[in-house]
Amino acid sequence: MTFKIICPSIKKIWYVINRAVYTWLLFLFPVQLGRVTMTLRCWLALASVAALANGELVQVPNLQLPSTAAAHQKAVVNLFNVSYTAYKKYAWGHDELRPVTESYSDDLDGWGATVSDVLDTMWLMGFHDWFNEAVDYVATVDFSLSKTNSAVSVFETTIRHVGGLLSAYELSGQSKSYSVLVTKAEQVAQQMAYAFVGNNAIPYGNVNFADHTPVSGLSSIATAGTLTLEWNRLSLYTGNDTYRQLAEKSVQHVISTPNVLPGMPAELIDPSTGNPSGTYVSWGSGCDSYYEYLIKYPRLTNTDDNSYTNAWLTAVDTSIKTLLKYSTVGNWAYLADYDGKNILHVGSHLACFYGGNWILGGKLTNNDTIFNLGLQLTDACWNTYASTATGIGPEGFAYISSDGSYTGNSPPTPDQLLFYNKHGYYITASDYIMRPEVLESNFYAWRATGNTKYLDNAVSAIQSFQQYLPTTVAYTSINDVDNKTSSKIDDMPSFWFGEVLKYLYLTFDDPNNISLDNYVFNTECHPFKAPTAKNIYGSVA
Ligand SMILES: *[C@@H]1O[C@H](CO)[C@@H](O)[C@H](O)[C@H]1NC(C)=O
Ligand SMILES: *[C@@H]1O[C@H](CO)[C@@H](O)[C@H](O)[C@H]1NC(C)=O
Ligand SMILES: *[C@@H]1O[C@H](CO)[C@@H](O)[C@H](O)[C@H]1NC(C)=O
Ligand SMILES: *[C@@H]1O[C@H](CO)[C@@H](O)[C@H](O)[C@H]1NC(C)=O
Ligand SMILES: *[C@@H]1O[C@H](CO)[C@@H](O)[C@H](O)[C@H]1NC(C)=O
């Protein structure tokens, strides 16, 4: 505190000049430094202290884009422009565009999932008329009743609707004219709160909005652990603290649940008892964003409560000891699954967020081991793109490591082995459904290293999307990433707009704009403004 009063600009200085330079100067030239002026010495000393008091920077300071970036960013805006034009024409107000049949689907309750997911992307790209039109649409939606399903998914609704609406509200300046975004986020969350029954800590996965009853059945740690960012911001903007409390209670319960491996609980959890179910452990589907938010939530809130960071560090430590494997061909790093008995040598597009998450967490906790592993994981996930005929990565894949090739399914076929021997992984699900995770980690790697190979990766992905995903009116999912003439899947998920195109756009955007030192992204790529980082060093529990 005192430092801020004496030298109020200290934080700015710290942001401009890397702490390493100070440490180095103080170490090498103590005598010369004795001669510099009082003011400068004050700054130098305080900057070192400030560096310890504030968190580590995630991004390379003063990162510059090459001059070619603008053209690539424009190509992303074009992909967006074409996709959204088709959505408006053939699917306006519905959940998702069907780009092949030029129609729509309403599998996500019919509230226009694409509209909620696309808002912040449009704001960032400068499509302000479309943004206003979309806000006006949101204002007409009745989120208190599903239009299509008897039960509403707490997870999908939180990350797409609550996350998308509140992020758009923040980015557009929290102005009164857009306050309906908060009203609507609250309207849908009021119904989702019925997923918490009685004093239960864990929410049910689905709720019937019509009669306020949850659908019985197991929940997952991803559902229980992926509310904190969104529900915390909802409490902030509505003044109703219940949402934050419910979300924190839920993740705290998971943190203290008996583990399968240290820091890694079972994927499934029974909301009626709070007890874990089964022994499946993974960084993939059903678990993924529980781990993701353990490190993002303390960053968003600057909480003094170390339990989130410690839980994340413990899970990472266990993962390094037990789940981190390298392929026998290519030496590619991956985090295997574990079923309570066996290591499963599998990977997935979904799990590929882990590279970016370890890059972020490694920086925030000042741990180079974790940071460097994050880069290795990112590079291995990129290899799943670089190795296919289309240059786009598959949905599911598997590896062979020095300790075996068990995947829980049949062993690799001769064709898969052939592919493995060339590329160091083999494909088990060949479709691409416009997921973001590989490009998400690639974005973190660019911002945190400044290595332009990550820009090259993004350029390659843009070109592949332009070449292999077009339909007559837009772009779409495909069945086989290793077939240049693959048949198409008739769906453009809302996260194409919310995530893929936003991560690509930001990869080629001024790194000081939506900086990873000022924003925390929810798992659907909706950025929330974060305070200046405090040190969040934790320890393995
Ligand atoms: C979007 O596409 C339309 C129609 O092709 C074009 O007129 C407009 O300039 C494009 N906008 C941007 C920002 O690229
Ligand atoms: C970031 O980009 C958006 C959209 O172009 C712009 O409105 C905003 O002013 C930029 N912010 C900064 C800090 O440059
Ligand atoms: C706060 O939100 C909860 C959950 O939706 C609701 O039950 C409660 O009535 C709200 N409190 C106020 C004061 O609006
Ligand atoms: C970084 O994390 C790894 C994995 O948990 C741990 O072994 C190592 O001691 C940590 N390093 C530092 C400097 O904290
Ligand atoms: C590629 O996809 C096309 C269209 O579905 C199909 O006819 C062809 O057999 C596929 N080629 C391979 C090698 O699978």
Side-chain angles (χ1 to χ4, degrees):
M1 276 341 245
T2 332
F3 307 125
K4 280 173 198 157
I5 296 159
I6 299 169
C7 283
S9 58
I10 205 72
K11 266 189 201 151
K12 253 188 187 156
I13 298 163
W14 155 235
Y15 274 95
V16 175
I17 307 168
N18 193 316
R19 177 180 58 150
V21 177
Y22 285 111
T23 316
W24 185 76
L25 280 173
L26 285 166
F27 180 71
L28 284 182
F29 304 109
V31 180
Q32 285 87 330
L33 279 176
R35 291 203 295 266
V36 297
T37 66
M38 237 1 245
T39 318
L40 188 51
R41 276 174 61 188
C42 161
W43 282 4
L44 287 170
L46 291 181
S48 311
V49 176
L52 291 172
N54 291 318
E56 301 297 321
L57 288 181
V58 177
Q59 293 196 171
V60 172
N62 296 318
L63 183 58
Q64 302 290 326
L65 283 168
S67 57
T68 49
H72 299 306
Q73 192 179 48
K74 194 147 182 257
V76 178
V77 173
N78 282 339
L79 286 173
F80 180 92
N81 196 353
V82 170
S83 301
Y84 194 70
T85 300
Y87 170 78
K88 273 167 58 75
K89 182 156 179 201
Y90 301 106
W92 176 247
H94 294 283
D95 284 333
E96 292 176 341
L97 172 68
R98 289 192 185 280
V100 178
T101 51
E102 297 164 19
S103 60
Y104 57 82
S105 65
D106 274 320
D107 297 335
L108 290 152
D109 306 300
W111 299 317
T114 291
V115 180
S116 295
D117 242 359
V118 78
L119 284 163
D120 53 5
T121 308
M122 291 201 290
W123 185 267
L124 291 172
M125 289 184 177
F127 288 104
H128 289 147
D129 291 345
W130 281 352
F131 180 87
N132 288 330
E133 177 187 56
V135 172
D136 289 346
Y137 177 77
V138 168
T140 68
V141 176
D142 178 6
F143 285 94
S144 67
L145 204 58
S146 174
K147 283 190 185 166
T148 52
N149 297 319
S150 57
V152 175
S153 161
V154 172
F155 174 78
E156 297 295 346
T157 305
T158 294
I159 67 171
R160 301 194 207 209
H161 290 288
V162 179
L165 298 175
L166 294 181
S167 169
Y169 174 69
E170 276 195 1
L171 282 178
S172 58
Q174 301 178 26
S175 75
K176 276 224 171 65
S177 39
Y178 297 131
S179 63
V180 69
L181 297 171
V182 177
T183 312
K184 290 296 168 178
E186 185 178 22
Q187 186 181 40
V188 78
Q190 263 164 2
Q191 301 294 322
M192 286 198 285
Y194 292 107
F196 291 87
V197 173
N199 286 324
N200 291 355
I202 302 295
Y204 282 83
N206 299 278
V207 186
N208 183 329
F209 277 19
D211 64 9
H212 299 166
T213 56
V215 178
S216 63
L218 296 173
S219 198
S220 69
I221 61 169
T223 293
T226 315
L227 306 169
T228 47
L229 296 182
E230 298 84 356
W231 290 34
N232 174 296
R233 294 296 95 165
L234 185 63
S235 283
L236 178 69
Y237 294 125
T238 60
N240 183 340
D241 201 43
T242 302
Y243 300 107
R244 179 189 68 80
Q245 289 169 14
L246 288 173
E248 288 188 4
K249 183 169 75 168
S250 175
V251 71
Q252 284 297 339
H253 184 91
V254 177
I255 289 173
S256 59
T257 289
N259 294 312
V260 177
L261 298 171
M264 304 197 75
E267 172 192 353
L268 299 174
I269 187 161
D270 185 342
S272 67
T273 61
N275 294 330
S277 176
T279 51
Y280 202 85
V281 163
S282 165
W283 281 77
S285 170
C287 306
D288 41 16
S289 41
Y290 163 65
Y291 299 112
E292 181 183 346
Y293 279 25
L294 283 178
I295 194 67
K296 287 180 169 179
Y297 190 59
R299 175 65 190 88
L300 180 72
T301 57
N302 265 348
T303 175
D304 290 325
D305 178 352
N306 279 336
S307 62
Y308 303 95
T309 305
N310 290 350
W312 186 82
L313 283 169
T314 307
V316 168
D317 191 66
T318 290
S319 299
I320 294 171
K321 288 176 178 142
T322 311
L323 305 179
L324 176 66
K325 302 289 169 187
Y326 290 86
S327 61
T328 52
V329 172
N331 204 36
W332 297 109
Y334 59 98
L335 301 180
D337 286 3
Y338 177 70
D339 64 8
K341 257 181 155 162
N342 297 296
I343 294 291
L344 284 78
H345 297 271
V346 295
S348 65
H349 201 295
L350 269 175
C352 277
F353 83 97
Y354 54 37
N357 187 244
W358 286 35
I359 289 169
L360 175 70
K363 281 288 181 187
L364 292 176
T365 61
N366 194 28
N367 184 308
D368 285 344
T369 305
I370 298 173
F371 173 71
N372 286 322
L373 286 170
L375 295 176
Q376 285 184 23
L377 292 167
T378 301
D379 290 347
C381 282
W382 177 254
N383 176 54
T384 69
Y385 274 55
S387 304
T388 67
T390 61
I392 301 171
E395 175 74 1
F397 37 95
Y399 296 93
I400 297 169
S401 185
S402 57
D403 63 339
S405 62
Y406 179 78
T407 64
N409 282 307
S410 15
T413 63
D415 276 356
Q416 286 175 322
L417 265 184
L418 215 62
F419 188 96
Y420 176 77
N421 285 326
K422 264 199 210 151
H423 303 300
Y425 78 103
Y426 62 95
I427 298 172
T428 55
S430 63
D431 51 320
Y432 175 65
I433 57 164
M434 306 180 115
R435 288 198 193 281
E437 294 78 13
V438 175
L439 293 169
E440 167 183 351
S441 290
N442 188 70
F443 164 68
Y444 280 85
W446 154 245
R447 292 287 185 90
T449 66
N451 187 333
T452 53
K453 81 175 177 185
Y454 298 110
L455 297 181
D456 298 340
N457 293 348
V459 171
S460 159
I462 293 167
Q463 287 166 352
S464 292
F465 293 159
Q466 288 168 333
Q467 196 165 354
Y468 300 111
L469 305 187
T471 66
T472 312
V473 299
Y475 302 87
T476 203
S477 308
I478 57 175
N479 277 306
D480 185 359
V481 292
D482 203 33
N483 180 346
K484 291 187 176 188
T485 57
S486 168
S487 55
K488 306 248 185 310
I489 303 172
D490 193 11
D491 186 36
M492 177 186 279
S494 70
F495 44 73
W496 168 251
F497 294 105
E499 302 193 67
V500 176
L501 296 179
K502 193 187 296 120
Y503 280 125
L504 281 174
Y505 179 83
L506 292 178
T507 300
F508 296 105
D509 197 32
D510 179 349
N512 297 313
N513 194 347
I514 305 293
S515 161
L516 290 171
D517 293 307
N518 299 326
Y519 286 88
V520 175
F521 290 81
N522 92 334
T523 193
E524 190 81 355
C525 189
H526 298 303
F528 292 125
K529 191 97 171 78
T532 301
K534 278 202 317 199
N535 192 322
I536 58 168
Y537 295 132
S539 57
V540 175

